[in-house]
Amino acid sequence: MLTLVTHRLNGYVNPCVLSSVARFCTSRARMAKSKFEYVRIFETDDKCLRNCYIVVRLDGRNFHKFAEQHNFAKPNDDRALGLMTRSARSVMEELEDIVLAYGQSDEFSFVFKRTSNWFKRRASKLMTHVASQFSSSYVFYWKDHFGEEPLLYPPGFDGRVVLYPSNRNLRDYVSWRQADCHINNLYNTVFWTLVQRGGLTTVQAEGRLKGTLAADKNEILFSEFDINYNKEPLVHRKGTALIWEKHEETVTKQVKLPNEEEEKEVQVVRLRRSVHAHHCDLIGEEFWEEHPDILEDDGC
């Protein structure tokens, strides 16, 4: 901020001062623009269509190799799943317009509400912010989940932006990702059980499962290894859904009561909004009926 101190003598303003200010303002205006500024016209207008849910999906880049080199447990490593969820929570806490995040394995999808105007709805801004916040959180919270297991090199995540105009479209997208979670986890559970407990090589296990249906895989687990797939952990079978929820929180405050000279500690109950994880079915109606605030009314 420029503070102008005028020198007055009998109401007269020194013209030298005004002249100096004028030259300063002119030079600042020239500095703000230059002949090179035309290059901005090459920027792509990537503003997302209004009245649509914006979904940013991240996928781990070359995570098969990353998992091998960092000794991930097979078929599921709860440390890795916990770290993915913690990183996703960090994204939601940074961008509060995200109403739902769903993740499984090495991917996470983030759903921005239809009315969101974060970064003026620019797809590149939304995607890069989500990807950078997620990636940096993954590195930052690594030790909290993996302890002394060293992080050998930074992980990479690629992203994409997809728009869904209706509630039905969005629910079908989430259902698709959860169905993918079930298909992949059932296959991996049987595959690694055949290897770890059945003594097969990875090539033999792959051949054994070739052409099998879900019922066949369940039968292998149950009849040969006494494993009921339906009793496997929900986080493995259903993935993780993160949503905002309100809950009561009791805090202690210093309050000066009427007719009292000294402050006293009182217990105050307030509503707090925070991110909660759910491992449940997202394809049916129950989850959406229990959390109606996720979807905005669109008549569909």
Side-chain angles (χ1 to χ4, degrees):
M1 178 181 294
L2 173 66
T3 302
L4 173 61
V5 180
T6 59
H7 299 280
R8 293 178 177 270
L9 181 59
N10 296 326
Y12 174 73
V13 179
N14 190 334
C16 295
V17 175
L18 294 178
S19 177
S20 298
V21 172
R23 286 197 300 273
F24 177 82
C25 294
T26 302
S27 64
R28 287 294 297 272
R30 287 174 180 169
M31 289 172 62
K33 292 183 179 295
S34 72
K35 66 179 181 180
F36 307 111
E37 192 177 12
Y38 78 93
V39 297
R40 294 181 61 185
I41 66 176
F42 290 93
E43 292 185 16
T44 302
D45 182 8
D46 61 348
K47 186 178 293 186
C48 294
L49 188 67
R50 291 193 175 276
N51 203 35
C52 292
Y53 292 103
I54 303 172
V55 175
V56 178
R57 185 166 95 236
L58 301 183
D59 289 281
R61 180 180 177 275
N62 201 10
F63 247 58
H64 288 293
K65 178 182 177 182
F66 184 86
E68 289 289 343
Q69 295 188 342
H70 290 88
N71 302 311
F72 282 19
K74 306 291 187 180
N76 293 288
D77 191 309
D78 288 326
R79 300 170 303 171
L81 294 175
L83 179 54
M84 290 286 291
T85 299
R86 182 64 188 87
S87 302
R89 179 180 282 111
S90 175
V91 174
M92 289 188 69
E93 290 168 348
E94 179 74 14
L95 300 172
E96 295 184 4
D97 272 6
I98 297 173
V99 294
L100 169 69
Y102 174 75
Q104 50 110 352
S105 186
D106 64 341
E107 72 168 58
F108 242 100
S109 297
F110 299 89
V111 181
F112 287 82
K113 63 184 182 182
R114 297 170 65 178
T115 54
S116 177
N117 199 38
W118 277 87
F119 304 114
K120 298 181 180 179
R121 295 179 71 85
R122 289 190 60 184
S124 57
K125 290 276 191 178
L126 291 166
M127 181 176 63
T128 52
H129 194 100
V130 169
S132 62
Q133 182 71 27
F134 189 93
S135 301
S136 59
S137 297
Y138 195 95
V139 174
F140 186 81
Y141 293 111
W142 174 269
K143 280 194 173 183
D144 292 350
H145 295 267
F146 281 84
E148 297 305 314
E149 181 76 41
L151 181 61
L152 302 178
Y153 58 89
F157 296 89
D158 64 69
R160 72 202 70 187
V161 174
V162 186
L163 304 182
Y164 293 100
S166 72
N167 290 343
R168 184 74 266 167
N169 293 151
L170 179 65
R171 285 190 54 181
D172 286 347
Y173 170 79
V174 176
S175 298
W176 171 48
R177 300 320 305 145
Q178 188 165 70
D180 186 74
C181 173
H182 163 70
I183 293 169
N184 290 336
N185 188 66
L186 177 58
Y187 181 92
N188 289 334
T189 299
V190 183
F191 179 89
W192 287 107
T193 300
L194 288 170
V195 172
Q196 294 168 352
R197 294 179 54 180
L200 300 185
T201 66
T202 55
V203 175
Q204 290 171 332
E206 185 177 354
R208 174 79 186 278
L209 294 177
K210 187 176 182 179
T212 58
L213 303 177
D216 302 320
K217 296 180 179 69
N218 276 287
E219 181 61 26
I220 291 173
L221 287 174
F222 189 75
S223 61
E224 298 184 28
F225 302 99
D226 196 28
I227 295 175
N228 184 343
Y229 180 75
N230 291 327
K231 293 184 178 180
E232 290 293 291
L234 284 171
V235 64
H236 300 164
R237 295 189 289 117
K238 300 296 185 181
T240 300
L242 298 178
I243 61 173
W244 289 99
E245 290 184 315
K246 293 179 180 179
H247 61 92
E248 290 186 349
E249 181 183 67
T250 302
V251 297
T252 302
K253 297 184 67 175
Q254 295 286 340
V255 177
K256 190 173 184 179
L257 300 175
N259 303 321
E260 295 283 346
E261 295 183 0
E262 297 181 357
E263 291 186 343
K264 291 186 176 181
E265 289 187 352
V266 296
Q267 300 291 316
V268 178
V269 178
R270 64 184 182 186
L271 283 178
R272 185 177 179 85
R273 187 169 174 261
S274 57
V275 178
H276 288 255
H278 294 262
H279 312 294
C280 59
D281 177 64
L282 303 178
I283 299 175
E285 299 295 329
E286 184 176 352
F287 173 82
W288 305 98
E289 290 174 354
E290 291 180 354
H291 307 286
D293 294 340
I294 296 175
L295 300 177
E296 300 173 59
D297 185 26
D298 66 353
C300 298

